[in-house]
Amino acid sequence: MSEKTLHLIRHAQGYHNLSLESHGIRDPLLTPLGLQQCLTLSQEFPNIQNVDCIIASPMRRTLQTALNTFHAVLAAKPGLKIIALPHLQETSTMPCDVGTSPSTLIQEFAGKPIDFFLVTDGWNDKIEGPYAPRADLVARRVWKARKFLQGREEKNIAVVTHGGLLHYLTEDWVGSSSGVGTGWSNCEHRTYTFDTSSRSSIISATIAETQDSVARRIGHTMPLSCDEQLELQSVAESSWAADGYITLPTAGTTLEYEQDDMLDVCTESRTHESRGPIGIRSVL
């Protein structure tokens, strides 16, 4: 059986990336430079024609990034659609990180190859519920996102999401305390595979960056240990909490990966799978 490959991408430059004041823009679009970044990525993306699944955060900038980067792939594969996945939205409650209502998104992207089935009312509620910016809730939903990806049948999956969330998704915290709040550049892509070396890594759907991907961006370096990554995570979360990007759970608050979560996953998965060619075996 061939190995599943994940191509993780941070969105191209949005108008909120232009200044701190621009963070007040609600669900911003891409800038002209951002659109050009998508074109450049489409030309530099290795074996882009092999991508057989595209999944994106339902934010406007991520959907635009996916549509423009994979335009030729989508045109060549009429049955392929971008799956909008709420669990991939950014962490904070700043206006730029709060999404748009499903009905507006469907109207705005009418005629585009995007599947909004999983984007339901409340997906953009960042005040309470599963998408609130509390660190443990973010970690829980990125676990669900990884389980979703793990359950896909496709082998070359492109995922378009956000700089802060990518640190949680990859469990790699290098660069997370930089001045821009993420170690990922606009339209940067990195390549990962699932770690199947142990039962715990399979259950947690742990992913690891490929050696080629690491060499492509920083050369050959020794990876950080788990303890070192946890230390970086602690520093980053403290900094992000101080800046208002996330909140920290109160003492004694814990969340486990509960069996009930997977029951919800299976129910929603079967519903979506019956709708057409985009079969989802594991959903959130």
Side-chain angles (χ1 to χ4, degrees):
M1 183 179 294
S2 59
E3 193 172 44
K4 191 192 304 287
T5 302
L6 304 179
H7 306 280
L8 304 189
I9 303 164
R10 184 190 175 201
H11 62 79
Q13 185 191 70
Y15 280 99
H16 67 302
N17 293 134
L18 299 179
S19 67
L20 288 175
E21 292 77 12
S22 300
H23 289 172
I25 302 173
R26 176 73 178 263
D27 196 5
L29 297 168
L30 296 183
T31 65
L33 174 59
L35 294 172
Q36 180 60 47
Q37 289 171 336
C38 294
L39 176 61
T40 300
L41 178 58
S42 71
Q43 296 168 342
E44 297 178 347
F45 195 98
N47 300 314
I48 193 170
Q49 70 279 1
N50 291 337
V51 169
D52 53 4
C53 180
I54 305 169
I55 300 172
S57 156
M59 305 294 290
R60 286 186 172 117
R61 58 189 181 270
T62 39
L63 294 174
Q64 278 192 300
T65 300
L67 285 167
N68 285 277
T69 299
F70 297 101
H71 173 76
V73 178
L74 291 163
K77 302 178 180 181
L80 183 62
K81 289 187 177 182
I82 298 165
I83 300 171
L85 185 63
H87 290 67
L88 293 174
Q89 65 183 290
E90 188 57 293
T91 62
S92 86
T93 57
M94 292 186 298
C96 63
D97 292 334
V98 178
T100 304
S101 70
S103 59
T104 300
L105 285 174
I106 291 170
Q107 181 179 9
E108 195 169 305
F109 289 93
K112 302 296 184 182
I114 302 175
D115 187 337
F116 285 110
F117 173 73
L118 297 173
V119 184
T120 56
D121 289 335
W123 84 273
N124 53 349
D125 180 358
K126 304 294 284 289
I127 304 302
E128 58 183 7
Y131 304 114
R134 205 176 74 199
D136 55 336
L137 292 175
V138 177
R140 186 177 191 172
R141 66 176 165 95
V142 298
W143 167 71
K144 291 184 176 184
R146 291 197 304 269
K147 295 299 288 185
F148 175 88
L149 298 170
Q150 187 184 53
R152 297 294 305 184
E153 294 181 346
E154 299 88 349
K155 298 302 181 184
N156 282 280
I157 303 175
V159 180
V160 185
T161 182
H162 305 267
L165 192 84
L166 277 160
H167 289 293
Y168 281 99
L169 188 66
T170 62
E171 299 176 296
D172 181 352
W173 293 86
V174 174
S176 55
S177 296
S178 70
V180 295
T182 179
W184 292 66
S185 302
N186 286 123
C187 239
E188 179 178 351
H189 81 283
R190 305 179 191 178
T191 307
Y192 292 76
T193 57
F194 282 97
D195 179 0
T196 58
S197 62
S198 68
R199 183 174 181 274
S200 62
S201 66
I202 293 172
I203 291 173
S204 62
T206 300
I207 59 176
E209 187 173 7
T210 66
Q211 292 182 350
D212 287 346
S213 178
V214 173
R216 182 175 67 228
R217 62 188 183 88
I218 58 175
H220 296 279
T221 61
M222 290 293 292
L224 298 184
S225 68
C226 181
D227 287 342
E228 289 170 330
Q229 288 286 7
L230 288 173
E231 183 64 28
L232 285 183
Q233 178 179 357
S234 177
V235 171
E237 287 184 332
S238 295
S239 174
W240 292 357
D243 292 336
Y245 297 129
I246 63 169
T247 59
L248 299 177
T250 56
T253 300
T254 59
L255 280 176
E256 300 294 337
Y257 300 150
E258 298 173 355
Q259 185 64 30
D260 287 348
D261 292 329
M262 299 313 296
L263 292 176
D264 293 341
V265 164
C266 293
T267 300
E268 207 164 333
S269 166
R270 286 191 294 270
T271 302
H272 186 276
E273 190 167 324
S274 67
R275 297 175 65 247
I278 304 178
I280 295 180
R281 299 178 58 200
S282 180
V283 156
L284 311 161

